[in-house]
């Protein structure tokens, strides 16, 4: 968050109602103030993190329960992660560039899934049961020795889930500094906390300052035996592999496309093992990723400059708006 926003954060203080008499910690108050500033249009940087213990997070939720308007805004407009294991709250605020690029990658995967869905073979039926989720909330159970189960909340940039699965099989995160530093931890949580129900976590890092370099990382579940004990880890099978050079050109990937998925990646083994022949490839080359990113950059720049063709209004034409109904008018509380 910028210095100006940090100052505003201290000045914009939400006062708990009398029913919320319990004194709020500074951390809980700062988070609530950030929510309020967000609603006023003063957004934090793309990846804003704040230390917040589970008890402090519970206090934040308690205050939101007493402020229906702010709670509705937070639930509807703020992309939020909360990790009780690390006592960390994260507000995601991706730019249009990241969202456009992510949409391009998702579109490519969806087009390939649509092709596979047309098949009369068993894998076609499997493919027809795969759903795309856009910025959905995922609750991940934490490993705990306590009696009470705790959960992390995650809001990935994109994910794909099988109709019968509890968790997505494939997750995509579009990264930027400092989010890229959190990517390995995110991938580990997605894979380990779902007992490897998540089969592939893809991180696309598209912001390297001072150059046009872009990279891809992919994590998958890896099961092994160490000293006679079975262990599950999130293994980086591709780590910071460039798909675009510093000068903006696609990397030669004639040996191996950087993004490789198969249908079996989209569901837990208990589901996929019932279907034969799921080794149907979904491939995206470096050139395609590079083209998607260049297209997203051009679209973002056009938005920033206000460019593009619009429908002209005939001279002398007035715009007639309908009158607001009483139900549409805001009350003083709203």
């Amino acid at each position: 968050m910028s210095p100006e926003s940090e100052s505003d954060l201290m000045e914009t203080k939400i006062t708990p109602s009398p029913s919320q008499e319990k004194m709020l910690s500074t951390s809980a108050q700062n988070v609530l103030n950030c929510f309020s500033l967000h609603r006023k249009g003063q957004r934090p940087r793309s990846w804003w993190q704040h230390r917040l213990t589970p008890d402090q997070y519970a206090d934040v939720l308690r205050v939101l329960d007493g402020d229906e308007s702010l709670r509705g805004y937070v639930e509807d407009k703020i992309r939020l992660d909360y990790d009780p294991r690390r006592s960390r709250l994260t507000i995601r605020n991706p730019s249009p560039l990241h969202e456009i690029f992510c949409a391009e990658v998702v579109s490519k995967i969806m087009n390939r899934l649509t092709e596979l869905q047309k098949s009369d073979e068993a894998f076609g039926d499997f493919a027809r049961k795969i759903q795309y989720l856009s910025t959905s909330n995922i609750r991940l159970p934490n490993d705990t020795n306590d009696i009470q189960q705790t959960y992390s909340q995650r809001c990935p940039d994109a994910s794909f889930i099988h109709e019968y699965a509890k968790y997505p099989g494939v997750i995509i995160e579009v990264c930027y500094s400092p989010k890229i530093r959190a990517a390995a931890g995110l991938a580990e949580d997605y894979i380990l906390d779902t007992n490897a129900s998540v089969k592939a976590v893809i991180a696309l890092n598209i912001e390297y300052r001072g150059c046009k370099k872009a990279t891809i990382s992919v994590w998958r579940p890896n099961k092994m035996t160490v000293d006679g004990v079975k262990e599950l880890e999130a293994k980086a099978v591709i780590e910071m592999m460039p798909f675009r050079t510093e000068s903006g050109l696609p990397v030669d990937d004639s040996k191996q496309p950087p993004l490789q998925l198969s249908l079996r990646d989209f569901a837990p083994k208990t589901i996929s093992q019932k279907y034969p022949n799921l080794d149907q490839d979904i491939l995206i080359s470096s050139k395609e990723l590079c083209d998607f990113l260049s297209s997203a950059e051009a679209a973002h720049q056009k938005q920033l400059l206000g460019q593009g063709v619009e429908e002209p209004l005939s001279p002398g034409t007035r715009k007639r708006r309908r009158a607001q109904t009483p139900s549409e008018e805001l009350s003083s509380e709203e």
Side-chain angles (χ1 to χ4, degrees):
M1 184 176 287
S2 66
E4 294 81 9
S5 295
E6 290 284 4
S7 175
D8 290 339
L9 193 65
M10 299 305 295
E11 294 176 4
T12 306
K13 184 173 181 179
I14 297 175
T15 303
S17 66
S19 62
Q20 302 162 340
E21 295 175 352
K22 181 180 176 181
M23 182 67 69
L24 287 177
S25 66
T26 301
S27 290
Q29 186 68 65
N30 283 344
V31 168
L32 288 164
N33 294 344
C34 186
F35 290 162
S36 182
L37 285 170
H38 195 290
R39 182 166 56 173
K40 293 179 179 179
Q42 299 179 46
R43 308 293 165 80
R45 56 178 177 255
S46 56
W47 186 255
W48 184 81
Q49 292 188 321
H50 196 78
R51 179 171 176 76
L52 201 68
T53 67
D55 286 344
Q56 292 168 342
Y57 183 57
D59 288 342
V60 169
L61 296 180
R62 175 175 53 82
V63 174
L64 289 179
D65 283 340
D67 187 337
E68 185 176 347
S69 176
L70 183 59
R71 184 187 65 189
Y73 179 84
V74 171
E75 292 175 350
D76 186 46
K77 299 296 184 182
I78 298 183
R79 292 183 56 194
L80 191 69
D81 286 10
Y82 181 65
D83 183 351
R85 183 190 293 118
R86 300 177 181 90
S87 294
R88 183 184 301 157
L89 180 138
T90 304
I91 293 180
R92 299 165 174 249
N93 194 35
S95 74
L97 168 62
H98 304 105
E99 293 182 329
I100 296 169
F101 175 63
C102 186
E104 294 270 14
V105 175
V106 167
S107 178
K108 173 67 178 181
I109 295 174
M110 289 298 298
N111 288 341
R112 176 57 176 153
L113 286 174
T114 299
E115 292 177 4
L116 297 172
Q117 290 168 358
K118 296 176 182 177
S119 174
D120 292 331
E121 295 189 42
F123 68 77
D125 179 60
F126 180 91
R128 286 189 288 272
K129 290 182 171 59
I130 297 172
Q131 303 166 346
Y132 163 59
L133 303 178
S134 174
T135 63
S136 62
N137 285 317
I138 302 175
R139 294 180 75 231
L140 302 175
N142 299 146
D143 295 329
T144 177
N145 294 323
D146 299 331
I147 297 177
Q148 184 176 4
Q149 176 69 63
T150 61
Y151 294 86
S152 298
Q153 177 179 321
R154 294 283 186 263
C155 188
D157 294 322
S159 59
F160 295 84
I161 189 170
H162 189 276
E163 179 181 341
Y164 300 143
K166 183 175 183 178
Y167 300 105
V170 174
I171 289 176
I172 299 174
E173 295 281 12
V174 180
C175 297
Y176 32 82
S177 183
K179 181 181 175 183
I180 189 61
R181 295 194 291 271
L186 283 172
E188 185 173 81
D189 289 349
Y190 286 136
I191 291 172
L192 298 189
D193 289 347
T194 64
N195 299 330
S197 293
V198 173
K199 300 298 181 186
V201 179
I202 302 159
L204 298 161
N205 185 20
I206 63 174
E207 280 193 7
Y208 284 87
R209 294 181 180 178
C211 69
K212 295 186 176 181
K213 181 182 177 182
T215 65
I216 180 173
S217 299
V218 179
W219 291 265
R220 291 182 175 278
N222 182 52
K223 296 179 180 179
M224 55 188 175
T225 302
V226 178
D227 297 331
V229 179
K230 294 181 179 179
E231 293 188 354
L232 171 66
E233 67 173 356
K235 184 177 181 180
V237 294
I238 295 177
E239 195 164 10
M240 305 293 281
M241 175 191 291
F243 64 83
R244 188 168 78 166
T245 66
E246 294 184 3
S247 58
L249 299 176
V251 174
D252 179 18
D253 63 1
S254 54
K255 294 183 179 179
Q256 175 185 350
L259 204 164
Q260 301 182 67
L261 298 170
S262 71
L263 278 181
R264 68 178 68 256
D265 289 326
F266 291 84
K269 187 176 180 181
T270 51
I271 296 175
S272 62
Q273 66 185 1
K274 300 176 183 178
Y275 292 82
N277 196 21
L278 290 187
D279 295 321
Q280 307 296 321
D281 288 329
I282 299 174
L283 308 176
I284 302 183
S285 67
S286 290
K287 184 179 185 308
E288 288 175 309
L289 287 173
C290 193
D291 288 345
F292 295 159
L293 182 50
S294 296
S295 175
E297 289 170 338
H300 186 212
Q301 185 67 13
K302 188 175 75 171
Q303 287 183 354
L304 293 175
L305 297 176
Q307 297 175 338
V309 177
E310 63 178 327
E311 189 71 28
L313 189 66
S314 302
T317 302
R318 295 186 302 177
K319 297 181 180 179
R320 182 176 181 177
R321 300 188 184 276
R322 63 184 180 82
Q324 279 192 325
T325 63
S327 63
E328 294 175 312
E329 295 177 357
L330 294 178
S331 68
S332 59
E333 291 183 356
E334 292 174 315

